[in-house]
Amino acid sequence: MEIISLIEGCKRGEALCQKILYERFYGYALKIAFRYVHQYEVAVNITNDGFVKLFRNIERFNYEKAGFPERLLLAWMKRIIINTSIDELRKNKMTPEIGGIPEHIWEEEDKSQKADQSLMYKELISCVKDLPPMYRVVFNMFVIDGCSHFEIADRLGISIGTSKSNLSRARSILQKMISEMHGVKSC
């Protein structure tokens, strides 16, 4: 089904269109949530909560002036999932998650990545999950999700300087982790 038909069907509250949209983009949304909370069950709950928010507010979604409605929908969905993830982290006082990344998380299809990108992504996310929670959130928001320091500071209730400092520290830690992972000695 074409994306515009799906969006319009969702705006009319058609369950079939909602189901198709959910199934088509579930893997994409789950991977976004999982970058923030590394517990599979929590990421699934965030993803489902995000879709509920998306369907409740889909009337506000305007794609008419966009040349690429699917890309616009994915950006809007991404913002909803990020905000839902941050709300969950804030609710739980940013406690670090326990456990590794279950292999089945990578089986959820994400058509936006090629095989080599998926492998690099998996390696990076594996390292990112070991960052302290606030560094991890700032890194995800800035590097992976493209938020500005102003947006990060506003959303997390921190100063822009703190956002920049957390990003710098996160990058430093990640560089060290990746160097060690590949057996590269740092100078």
Side-chain angles (χ1 to χ4, degrees):
M1 186 176 272
E2 187 181 320
I3 193 68
I4 293 173
S5 300
L6 279 177
I7 294 168
E8 289 303 317
C10 289
K11 286 185 175 189
R12 291 188 300 270
E14 295 175 11
L16 178 61
C17 289
Q18 291 173 339
K19 179 180 187 282
I20 292 169
L21 188 95
Y22 174 84
E23 289 172 351
R24 185 176 292 177
F25 298 111
Y26 177 81
Y28 171 79
L30 181 62
K31 286 178 183 176
I32 294 168
F34 201 74
R35 284 199 314 262
Y36 287 87
V37 292
H38 296 284
Q39 293 177 350
Y40 181 74
E41 294 78 21
V42 177
V44 166
N45 289 338
I46 288 169
T47 301
N48 290 331
D49 290 348
F51 273 103
V52 168
K53 291 176 184 178
L54 182 141
F55 293 134
R56 281 189 184 151
N57 296 293
I58 194 121
E59 308 84 38
R60 297 181 195 170
F61 180 69
N62 186 1
Y63 61 87
E64 279 85 22
K65 295 179 184 176
F68 303 98
E70 184 168 347
R71 196 176 300 168
L72 191 61
L73 177 66
L74 289 174
W76 188 56
M77 183 184 304
K78 183 179 196 178
R79 175 71 51 197
I80 291 169
I81 299 296
I82 290 169
N83 289 340
T84 305
S85 298
I86 291 170
D87 290 343
E88 179 68 23
L89 287 171
R90 187 175 285 140
K91 184 174 82 176
N92 290 316
K93 301 187 185 340
M94 301 270 203
T95 55
E97 296 80 16
I98 300 168
I101 300 175
E103 282 303 311
H104 61 276
I105 188 77
W106 306 109
E107 294 169 11
E108 295 296 336
E109 188 175 358
D110 181 355
K111 296 175 182 153
S112 66
Q113 293 184 347
K114 295 180 179 148
D116 58 338
Q117 290 174 325
S118 182
L119 184 61
M120 290 186 312
Y121 175 84
K122 184 177 179 180
E123 187 176 272
L124 176 64
I125 296 306
S126 184
C127 290
V128 170
K129 85 164 195 61
D130 291 332
L131 290 172
M134 191 55 114
Y135 294 174
R136 182 175 60 236
V137 171
V138 171
F139 182 86
N140 277 327
M141 292 180 77
F142 187 85
V143 175
I144 298 175
D145 296 321
C147 298
S148 69
H149 285 293
F150 177 80
E151 291 173 302
I152 296 167
D154 182 56
R155 186 69 182 110
L156 298 178
I158 59 175
S159 72
I160 292 173
T162 299
S163 175
K164 289 178 179 180
S165 172
N166 286 350
L167 177 63
S168 176
R169 290 183 183 134
R171 283 182 169 162
S172 177
I173 292 169
L174 286 171
Q175 285 173 343
K176 183 177 178 188
M177 287 174 160
I178 291 170
S179 292
E180 289 173 1
M181 205 185 247
H182 293 282
V184 177
K185 298 209 180 218
S186 56
C187 299

